[in-house]
Amino acid sequence: REERERPVFLFCDYLPSMKFGTKLLTKAVQAAHISSLISWSAAARGDKVGALVFNQASHKEVKPLSRKKAVLHVCHELIALSQGANGEQPNEASDQTAFADACARARRLAKPGSLVYLVSDFQNMSTAAQQHLTHLTRHCEVRAIIVDDPFEHTLPETHSLQSVSVSDGVENQRWVLGDSKETISYSEWREEQHFAITQALKQMSIARYHVSSAYPLDEQLQSMQRERV
């Protein structure tokens, strides 16, 4: 049973990589669902809830409050930042800087003894970010909820070769769907990226959970299992 009146702090990533989704939702929308659910659950236990919601351009801080008022404040900031993020263009360097800066803010804002939830795809995690998170784990219990999309694991299957143009907003590439070599190469690249993220979190002794943007959150709650440390 969770400790009563334990501060809960939410770290919600709205960087450009989170605005991606190929089936039901974007990762950012699923992250908002998760953050809202955690907030309501914490408030129901009588815990204080605080949050940091951020994107490239800005960040929103919610000071720890108790009960319904805190949850509504968190939900308001999730909606406000999501609606104001449409004009941004992805940039890998600035995204990594924004993520590291947010980690530094979380390290400062989360009170010692807090239960901290990091809701992100962690695709912009850098060495600087890891240093801040390592310091955070010394005084708080930290849990990572990794939000991903099926397309981030393997390319779609097709019955014939199809050349498609893809872009991250900065660079443009052409991929050939249905090509076995390209499919294998893509899957291996994504697996290396996923392994690097999970290993970095594991080394910091951060508990890890996975949520897909392709299915409703309520269908995944029972199957969410913590990865072994």
Side-chain angles (χ1 to χ4, degrees):
R1 188 175 63 177
E2 296 288 356
E3 181 182 346
R4 298 290 293 177
E5 298 185 358
R6 182 185 193 185
V8 172
F9 186 83
L10 289 159
F11 172 99
C12 190
D13 179 358
Y14 270 4
L15 289 171
S17 65
M18 292 290 288
K19 295 189 290 182
F20 178 78
T22 59
K23 288 192 175 182
L24 180 65
L25 304 168
T26 65
K27 291 184 288 182
V29 172
Q30 191 70 293
H33 289 177
I34 297 166
S35 299
S36 299
L37 180 63
I38 293 172
S39 298
W40 282 113
S41 178
R45 293 194 306 267
D47 298 333
K48 290 185 176 181
V49 181
L52 173 66
V53 187
F54 67 96
N55 58 22
Q56 275 183 315
S58 62
H59 67 276
K60 301 293 183 180
E61 298 177 6
V62 178
K63 295 182 179 179
L65 299 170
S66 59
R67 304 192 182 189
K68 185 178 179 180
K69 184 177 180 181
V71 179
L72 294 178
H73 194 180
V74 170
C75 292
H76 172 78
E77 296 298 358
L78 288 168
I79 294 171
L81 201 62
S82 175
Q83 292 176 341
N86 296 328
E88 298 165 15
Q89 295 297 320
N91 182 283
E92 183 178 356
S94 62
D95 288 355
Q96 288 190 354
T97 300
F99 189 86
D101 288 346
C103 290
R105 290 181 183 276
R107 174 183 167 189
R108 174 177 58 83
L109 293 170
K111 294 183 178 180
S114 296
L115 175 56
V116 179
Y117 287 92
L118 309 174
V119 186
S120 173
D121 58 9
F122 296 95
Q123 292 188 11
N124 293 296
M125 189 160 60
S126 62
T127 300
Q130 292 180 46
Q131 291 173 348
H132 291 304
L133 293 179
T134 298
H135 282 282
L136 184 63
T137 61
R138 294 175 183 173
H139 305 289
C140 301
E141 180 183 350
V142 184
R143 299 176 183 178
I145 300 180
I146 305 171
V147 187
D148 60 18
D149 184 89
F151 195 88
E152 295 175 333
H153 296 279
T154 185
L155 292 174
E157 295 182 2
T158 60
H159 298 292
S160 60
L161 297 180
Q162 297 182 28
S163 178
V164 297
S165 176
V166 295
S167 174
D168 61 359
V170 179
E171 297 181 358
N172 297 306
Q173 297 182 6
R174 295 204 69 84
W175 294 354
V176 180
L177 302 182
D179 181 87
S180 59
K181 290 184 177 179
E182 187 144 342
T183 299
I184 292 173
S185 176
Y186 178 87
S187 296
E188 289 177 345
W189 168 57
R190 281 300 192 180
E191 182 61 28
E192 290 176 1
Q193 184 184 49
H194 175 75
F195 180 78
I197 290 171
T198 55
Q199 281 298 109
L201 294 169
K202 183 177 181 179
Q203 289 174 0
M204 291 182 282
S205 299
I206 295 176
R208 301 166 302 285
Y209 303 82
H210 292 267
V211 173
S212 174
S213 63
Y215 309 100
L217 184 58
D218 57 355
E219 294 180 5
Q220 302 182 65
L221 293 178
Q222 294 296 328
S223 61
M224 282 179 63
Q225 296 182 352
R226 174 175 174 172
E227 286 188 4
R228 294 182 180 179
V229 176

